[in-house]
Amino acid sequence: MSKQYEVSKDGFYGEYGGVFVPPPLIPVLERVAEAFNQYKDNPDFIEEYNYYMKDYVGKPSPLFFAKNMTEDLGGAKIYLKREDLNHTGAHKINNTIGQILLAKRMGVKRIIAETGAGQHGVATATVAAQFGMECVIYMGELDTIKQNLNVFRMELLGAKVVCVKDGDRDLKAAVDAALMDLVANHDTTFYLLGSAVGPYPYPTMVHHFQSIISKELKVQMAEKEGRDPDYMIACVGGGSNAIGFFSEYIGNDDVQLIGVEPAGLGIETGEHAAPITDADPGVIHGFKCYLMQTADGQPDHCYSIASGLDYPGVGPEHSFLNDEGLADYVAVTDFDALDAFRYLSKAEGIIPAIESAHALAYAMKLAPGQDKEKIIVVNLSGRGDKDVGTILDSEKLAYELKAKYDEEHGE
Ligand SMILES: *Cc1c(COP(=O)(O)O)cnc(C)c1O
């Protein structure tokens, strides 16, 4: 059984997605959509993508049976899909390789991208170096200060990092600056977007390139267990690792798909980044989705300890899957994610990304009550090396913020 829906011609998943952009961008997006649809099933294109996935990224990523964790929790069997072992340490490279190969086919020599914490910027600068393309990364000034190590990484890889001093000097300001660049330079430039968000064709294209996770898993599950998993759990920021992980299983009634949003300090505090759990539909960055928004529909403040999950919107396909009941969405706090981060490090000798630790934390709640025959697969979207330098500070900050909230609300 496979998924029972398609994205519409104008880029909608039900009421979500679409193309909500200024008129000059419409032909630019149409050219990208045309190229994507032309090449995605082209045998030469697929062969080249598979070559880089195998020899450059190191795929397939292993499916690891977490024996210690399984025995310790005493319920369902837990497997980890090891996207953390990819080159550059996360799933993002699956998408950046796909998009840069497309850019190459389109005859483009210049790549631009936005980045918040820097992870997508690093993945983009990496492939730009490999393919010998000029690379410009837009980053809010505040983020360049917080993530100066990633700025250095991108520069080492040959990218130019533009420090954006407009607006709130954050990710949103960086996206706006990148879009202005695209409008001015669309003849020579490809905008390489980092998650399953943005106007069509980006959510569909990112799903396509990330679906390699799911395709590998199908084969690995057949080898190891001879059947599909009962539960599949992934963290959801924009939603690219989750949609790629779910892809082959969408519409399969035997498999429960669970997306984990970041509950930050707790949903009740408002300090979270969980729009499906606690927000209404709205428009951000050219598409419609569940969105944390102000009274006049502007994207609102959001917060998570995991910078990769700290986004007020979410992919349109996830918004749709939620409404259709094809996947379930839950939320996990900073504190539970921190516990899972420490737990996996000790239990299995694997330090997970703090983003992925959100998915793990939910698996740790789910597993103990389950029959021993049940199977849970967690998508380990990235490794935690990037977090070890900052986790102590952010952990302290999260506890301080929560204590302040509790005091103000008399708890
Ligand atoms: C960027 C990132 C995420 C969040 O992005 P999605 O598009 O939701 O997958 C999750 N995990 C890691 C390790 C990341 O780097």
Side-chain angles (χ1 to χ4, degrees), residues 90-92 119 195 235-242 308-309 353 355-356 381-382:
H91 67 289
K92 287 196 171 72
Q119 289 150 247
S195 187
C235 65
V236 177
S240 71
N241 87 87
L309 305 180
E355 288 82 7
S356 323
S381 54

Side-chain angles (χ1 to χ4, degrees), residues 145-406:
I145 297 166
K146 276 191 271 188
Q147 300 288 341
N148 58 349
L149 208 58
N150 274 339
V151 174
F152 182 53
R153 273 195 190 106
M154 289 183 265
E155 287 171 353
L156 273 178
L157 293 160
K160 180 174 163 212
V161 179
V162 176
C163 170
V164 180
K165 300 182 177 168
D166 305 323
D168 290 337
R169 299 177 290 155
D170 61 356
L171 177 63
K172 174 154 190 313
V175 173
D176 292 341
L179 288 173
M180 270 163 61
D181 179 320
L182 183 63
V183 170
N185 300 302
H186 58 83
D187 288 342
T188 56
T189 299
F190 185 93
Y191 187 171
L192 208 160
L193 204 97
S195 187
V197 297
Y200 181 79
Y202 284 100
T204 309
M205 184 157 71
V206 174
H207 174 150
H208 178 78
F209 292 130
Q210 291 293 359
S211 69
I212 186 169
I213 305 172
S214 197
K215 291 181 182 127
E216 289 175 4
L217 182 64
K218 250 326 240 213
V219 175
Q220 292 164 330
M221 279 301 298
E223 282 168 10
K224 288 184 195 292
E225 293 282 350
R227 68 174 182 95
D228 290 333
D230 298 290
Y231 301 96
M232 295 178 53
I233 308 176
C235 65
V236 177
S240 71
N241 87 87
I243 207 73
F245 179 62
F246 292 167
S247 184
E248 292 284 310
Y249 299 88
I250 296 170
N252 181 335
D253 295 335
D254 298 333
V255 184
Q256 195 176 340
L257 306 176
I258 303 170
V260 183
E261 295 194 305
L265 303 181
I267 296 295
E268 72 287 356
T269 68
E271 291 293 319
H272 62 77
I276 298 182
T277 306
D278 187 36
D280 296 318
V283 172
I284 180 174
H285 294 147
F287 72 106
K288 189 173 174 193
C289 63
Y290 279 101
L291 176 67
M292 296 174 64
Q293 54 197 300
T294 58
D296 59 348
Q298 293 304 305
D300 204 354
H301 161 81
C302 61
Y303 163 82
S304 165
I305 193 168
S307 54
L309 305 180
D310 196 357
Y311 185 65
V314 62
E317 197 172 352
H318 288 292
S319 302
F320 174 77
L321 293 179
N322 173 70
D323 289 8
E324 296 294 309
L326 290 168
D328 294 327
Y329 294 84
V330 297
V332 157
T333 64
D334 285 1
F335 310 104
D336 288 346
L338 283 163
D339 287 346
F341 176 82
R342 289 177 188 279
Y343 177 86
L344 190 74
S345 303
K346 262 199 187 146
E348 299 286 354
I350 298 171
I351 302 176
I354 189 69
E355 288 82 7
S356 323
H358 285 71
L360 278 168
Y362 192 74
M364 288 164 65
K365 283 186 201 169
L366 182 66
Q370 301 286 328
D371 192 282
K372 285 188 168 27
E373 297 306 307
K374 295 277 181 198
I375 299 170
I376 298 175
V377 183
V378 178
N379 196 34
L380 213 62
S381 54
R383 67 179 84 132
D385 304 35
K386 67 176 178 56
D387 299 311
V388 289
T390 52
I391 205 88
L392 281 177
D393 291 340
S394 28
E395 181 167 27
K396 205 166 135 251
L397 180 69
Y399 278 99
E400 280 170 13
L401 287 171
K402 183 69 166 73
K404 190 161 153 246
Y405 175 89
D406 289 346

